[in-house]
């Protein structure tokens, strides 16, 4: 049975987009829809909705919104939101998150996307008052995948 989920290559992952997609493909994950986008104010609004729960969880003192603007908006950054599919026996959410690795690249298992394509860590990001450069986002549940696919649908259909 074919399963789908949402992934997004972040600005710091754009330079390695082909290699990242190759890792996905080698593991049976196909990109069904994607679009490379320049982050403008409209897309920033969508990113704020996308990260709404994280913003709430991190609290005001963390300043996630300010760090998000600095990481995604300023400096002419791009993102690639994607609808991906998988037809194997594994759960697509578990598979994609395993391939991608821990949110903190310094703790990501060797060979994962974040371990391979990022040398950042939480301590450095916090010291520099920015978000961690961890290359890619993956939905963390089927419910999140449905919400995120719905949120990004207009963008990934072009």
């Amino acid at each position: 049975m074919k399963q789908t989920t949402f992934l997004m290559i972040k600005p710091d992952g754009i330079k390695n987009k082909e290699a990242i997609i190759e890792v996905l493909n080698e593991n049976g994950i196909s990109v069904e829809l994607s679009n490379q986008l320049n982050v403008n104010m409209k897309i920033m609004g969508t990113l704020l909705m996308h990260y709404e729960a994280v913003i709430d969880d991190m609290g005001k003192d963390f300043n996630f919104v300010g760090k998000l603007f600095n990481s995604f908006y300023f400096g002419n950054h791009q993102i690639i939101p994607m609808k991906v599919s998988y037809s194997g026996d594994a759960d697509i959410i578990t598979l994609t998150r395993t391939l991608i690795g821990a949110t903190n690249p310094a703790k990501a298992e060797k060979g994962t996307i974040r371990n391979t394509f990022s040398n950042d860590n939480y301590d450095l990001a916090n010291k520099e008052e920015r978000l961690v450069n961890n290359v890619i986002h993956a939905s963390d549940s089927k419910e999140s995948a449905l919400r995120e696919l719905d949120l990004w649908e207009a963008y990934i259909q072009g």
Side-chain angles (χ1 to χ4, degrees), residues 6-143:
F6 177 81
L7 301 177
M8 178 174 54
I9 298 177
K10 297 178 179 183
D12 59 297
I14 292 292
K15 66 181 176 269
N16 294 304
K17 65 185 176 185
E18 290 89 3
I20 291 168
I21 292 170
E22 186 176 318
V23 170
L24 298 172
N25 291 335
E26 288 171 354
N27 288 277
I29 298 166
S30 301
V31 177
E32 288 195 5
L33 294 169
S34 70
N35 197 1
Q36 188 162 331
L37 306 168
N38 290 316
V39 178
N40 58 27
M41 286 307 287
K42 183 177 178 186
I43 291 172
M44 225 26 246
T46 304
L47 284 163
L48 290 171
M49 288 186 281
H50 175 98
Y51 285 112
E52 186 174 48
V54 176
I55 292 166
D56 290 344
D57 288 347
M58 297 304 286
K60 221 178 203 178
D61 291 339
F62 184 77
N63 190 23
F64 189 93
V65 173
K67 292 174 182 178
L68 184 70
F69 267 84
N70 287 335
S71 297
F72 282 73
Y73 184 69
F74 297 109
N76 193 26
H77 293 300
Q78 297 181 322
I79 58 172
I80 304 174
M82 302 179 286
K83 177 181 181 180
V84 299
S85 64
Y86 173 73
S87 296
D89 294 331
D91 173 70
I92 192 171
I93 302 296
T94 303
L95 177 60
T96 54
R97 293 183 67 80
T98 299
L99 290 172
I100 287 165
T103 306
N104 183 350
K107 295 190 177 196
E109 196 171 313
K110 186 175 172 120
T112 61
I113 290 171
R114 287 180 173 147
N115 173 269
T116 303
F117 299 108
S118 178
N119 60 0
D120 202 11
N121 62 69
Y122 283 157
D123 292 337
L124 182 59
N126 288 337
K127 182 179 174 184
E128 296 176 356
E129 296 186 29
R130 60 172 173 79
L131 297 178
V132 68
N133 292 319
N134 63 7
V135 182
I136 190 168
H137 164 84
S139 297
D140 63 2
S141 67
K142 292 187 187 309
E143 296 77 21

